[in-house]
Amino acid sequence: MPTLQELNRELRPSLPEAFSSVRLTQSPGFWRRLFGFLGPGFLISVGYMDPGNWATDLAGGSKYGYTLLFVIMLSNLMAILLQSLALKLGIATERDLAQSCRETYSRPTNILLWLFAEIAIGACDLAEVIGSAIALQLLFHIPLMLGVLITGTDVLLILLLQNRGFRYLEALVITLIGTIAALFGVEVLLSHPDWLPIARNLVIPSKAIITDPEMLYIAISILGATVMPHNLYLHSSIVQTRNYPRTEQGKREAIRFANIDSATALMLALFVNAAILILAAAVFHRAGHYEVAEINDAYKLLTPMLGFAGASTMFALALLASGQNSTITGTLAGQIVMEGFLHIRLAPWLRRLITRSLAIIPTIIVTYFYGERGTSKLLLLSQVILSMQLSFAVFPLVAFTSNPAKMGPFVNHARTKLLSYAVAFLIAGLNLWLLIQIFRGH
């Protein structure tokens, strides 16, 4: 029999310093109540517009115009479904995904899942380091190596905001997302895209996506880079920061508002991803530049091709905001995964130092020996690693939310269960195909 101390430790909530810390209004007004739940979804949406997504969107737009917009839309719809399952798990069971795995699986299985999750978080952090360093180089001509080292100092800002309260962290993230969206919105308008093909390709898939091997490869790359495994762990935890009544009715309302928050934020992420592809299509594909996949190349070409002096600067600023935003969610996800799987708590500064070091060290080595082209390949590798880990988070999530013993009245309905497993197997199959192509030297 476990001791009282052990039992209390087992029942400790996720992110205990932030658990139920955000007060909610008692007003009957719908919009005022919804406002209290806005925030976690925007933290999640960061992973859907991080630097790791930029290369695939640039490549797809420059090579195939607007054709792959449908893939971005499909990826976003799958993301909305999976994030909905994650938030429902957290609210209904008061356990995040990592804690649920620890309670369900054997210790060897949990150790394996924890290692996969940590590798995925490290890979995501790697993309953030590279993206931020490239942005600093483009904006301020800071050498890439120095830029990599500078990105490590963002730990101080994150720690300061964490100490002031979870709402401050959310406010910073939402501000940076708004900055990214505004910058790309301006650039898309300046590029004068063809709106009818955009609308058509968003909702109607082209047969060429399946029949053209090159296009299929980029399409699967977009899918593989969209749904981030660490976001599923993160979302199931941070929805518990709200101080809603821990009753069935209170949880139902929390799930309802959290779903609105998540869907709204992910639609904004859809806009950003689509804007990157539209910009590449309208500027590069239209002019015959079909091979623009490097961030540096896009930066150099934007100003002369758009005829607007600040176009390249706006592009780099958006990249910097994207990289910095992603570091915040990576830090929180790392803490949640370590505490959930292992019940090991580290001081936030130590946790950040460890994850940042794991990302910076390989980046420094590759930058030193191979320069800019090496970091581009490292960015691709980080997305491959994320793809490999994704199913190890998706399948447990679908299984838990489909389990009546765990979810009670909040268990997935039959149609939701069927759709969720279909998405899980689709993601697994597409990522497997992508990995096979990469290792075959596509």
Side-chain angles (χ1 to χ4, degrees):
M1 287 288 292
T3 65
L4 181 60
Q5 183 179 7
E6 289 172 337
L7 187 62
N8 287 336
R9 190 175 175 223
E10 287 289 329
L11 297 176
R12 185 176 62 191
S14 181
L15 289 179
E17 68 277 7
F19 179 78
S20 198
S21 63
V22 178
R23 295 179 184 177
L24 300 174
T25 180
Q26 299 302 310
S27 167
F30 173 84
W31 294 107
R32 291 192 64 187
R33 294 182 70 80
L34 173 62
F35 180 77
F37 285 90
L38 294 180
F42 288 87
L43 264 69
I44 298 306
S45 71
V46 167
Y48 295 88
M49 57 181 98
D50 74 344
N53 291 315
W54 286 45
T56 53
D57 292 337
L58 287 171
S62 65
K63 193 161 191 176
Y64 299 110
Y66 307 114
T67 307
L68 291 172
L69 280 172
F70 178 80
V71 178
I72 293 180
M73 173 67 82
L74 179 63
S75 302
N76 207 71
L77 293 175
M78 292 195 299
I80 289 173
L81 172 64
L82 293 176
Q83 297 300 159
S84 175
L85 297 183
L87 70 87
K88 184 166 70 169
L89 176 70
I91 293 172
T93 67
E94 297 186 45
R95 290 285 184 276
D96 61 52
L97 180 56
Q99 290 173 325
S100 296
C101 288
R102 189 178 191 277
E103 293 174 347
T104 305
Y105 301 130
S106 65
R107 182 170 177 80
T109 301
N110 275 296
I111 293 295
L112 189 63
L113 290 175
W114 168 70
L115 288 173
F116 280 135
E118 290 288 1
I119 290 170
I121 292 168
C124 190
D125 215 29
L126 192 65
E128 295 150 13
V129 169
I130 295 171
S132 296
I134 291 174
L136 290 172
Q137 181 189 52
L138 297 176
L139 286 169
F140 307 110
H141 306 292
I142 295 173
L144 205 59
M145 183 76 74
L146 182 58
V148 169
L149 295 174
I150 289 174
T151 59
T153 62
D154 61 12
V155 62
L156 301 175
L157 175 62
I158 295 170
L159 288 174
L160 176 64
L161 289 171
Q162 279 183 326
N163 291 335
R164 292 181 64 87
F166 204 78
R167 270 304 215 186
Y168 285 91
L169 209 58
E170 292 174 346
L172 174 63
V173 167
I174 292 173
T175 300
L176 290 173
I177 290 174
T179 301
I180 298 167
L183 290 171
F184 272 115
V186 171
E187 296 216 314
V188 165
L189 290 176
L190 289 171
S191 68
H192 302 293
D194 301 316
W195 296 108
L196 277 178
I198 288 173
R200 183 177 65 250
N201 284 289
L202 269 173
V203 295
I204 302 174
S206 167
K207 291 181 181 179
I209 296 175
I210 302 297
T211 58
D212 185 335
E214 293 278 340
M215 191 182 298
L216 181 61
Y217 177 80
I218 295 178
I220 295 175
S221 298
I222 292 172
L223 280 169
T226 299
V227 183
M228 297 291 181
H230 70 281
N231 270 345
L232 302 177
Y233 293 104
L234 179 62
H235 208 174
S236 60
S237 174
I238 60 177
V239 288
Q240 299 177 51
T241 58
R242 269 48 187 176
N243 187 22
Y244 53 85
R246 262 58 179 182
T247 62
E248 182 176 337
Q249 182 180 351
K251 289 179 178 180
R252 286 195 184 279
E253 183 179 79
I255 290 172
R256 176 192 177 199
F257 284 128
N259 269 314
I260 296 174
D261 166 52
S262 177
T264 302
L266 289 175
M267 290 308 292
L268 184 57
L270 167 66
F271 168 79
V272 171
N273 272 327
I276 297 172
L277 189 143
I278 290 168
L279 183 66
V283 177
F284 306 133
H285 182 79
R286 182 190 290 164
H289 292 274
Y290 302 133
E291 303 295 333
V292 180
E294 302 283 347
I295 291 173
N296 285 349
D297 294 339
Y299 173 84
K300 293 171 185 174
L301 289 170
L302 270 177
T303 289
M305 296 188 71
L306 272 180
F308 171 61
S312 294
T313 300
M314 291 168 67
F315 180 83
L317 282 172
L319 177 62
L320 183 61
S322 173
Q324 291 305 296
N325 233 350
S326 301
T327 63
I328 297 173
T329 57
T331 301
L332 291 173
Q335 181 180 344
I336 290 161
V337 164
M338 180 168 284
E339 289 184 20
F341 278 115
L342 305 181
H343 277 176
I344 295 177
R345 289 204 69 197
L346 295 177
W349 67 269
L350 182 57
R351 169 73 217 179
R352 190 61 194 154
L353 182 63
I354 292 172
T355 56
R356 210 55 168 166
S357 298
L358 291 174
I360 286 177
I361 291 171
T363 311
I364 289 175
I365 294 171
V366 172
T367 303
Y368 180 78
F369 286 105
Y370 301 104
E372 293 178 8
R373 296 298 172 186
T375 56
S376 297
K377 292 179 180 178
L378 201 58
L379 196 61
L380 173 62
L381 176 61
S382 72
Q383 300 309 298
V384 174
I385 293 171
L386 284 168
S387 297
M388 292 176 67
Q389 201 279 331
L390 181 57
S391 291
F392 293 99
V394 171
F395 278 101
L397 174 65
V398 176
F400 294 152
T401 53
S402 300
N403 184 349
K406 186 176 287 289
M407 298 294 292
F410 302 100
V411 68
N412 290 338
H413 297 299
R415 283 180 298 182
T416 304
K417 181 179 178 179
L418 180 63
L419 181 61
S420 300
Y421 271 114
V423 167
F425 279 107
L426 176 63
I427 289 173
L430 291 175
N431 280 321
L432 179 62
W433 190 93
L434 175 62
L435 291 175
I436 291 171
Q437 295 305 305
I438 289 173
F439 286 120
R440 285 173 57 186
H442 178 95

